[in-house]
Amino acid sequence: EDCRIESTVMSHLCEGLSTLSTLRVLNLRGNSLGTEGTKHLATVLRGSHDLTDLVLQGCGIESTAMTHLCEGLSTLSTLRVLNLSYNCLGTEGTRHLAT
């Protein structure tokens, strides 16, 4: 939470996260992921079949990033908590989430 992780660092973090056999909770609240960081995260989400809680509050996620995020979220059948508050999802980003 609030670790000053930006999109450039996110690729390295995601490399490490992808090696975890079990990832249940991921809290990236307050980090500036943006579109590029969200792309990297989506790749990790596709392989995180045990993830139950994902907190992305205030991560600079906008509608363009939601396309990538939703691709990763679509594979998560165990997800119970998704916090996207304080992001500028807009109408288009919300539409991606709803479908």
Side-chain angles (χ1 to χ4, degrees), residues 9-19 28 37 39-44:
V9 177
M10 199 57 191
S11 65
H12 301 294
L13 176 63
C14 287
E15 284 178 28
L17 290 174
S18 66
T19 65
L28 293 170
K39 283 182 187 178
H40 295 298
L41 177 60
T43 302
V44 171

Side-chain angles (χ1 to χ4, degrees), residues 7-8 19 24 39 48 50 55-56 71 79-80 86 91:
S7 61
T8 53
T19 65
R24 289 196 174 96
K39 283 182 187 178
S48 300
D50 296 325
V55 179
L56 298 173
E71 288 171 4
L79 191 66
R80 296 177 301 147
Y86 299 103
T91 304

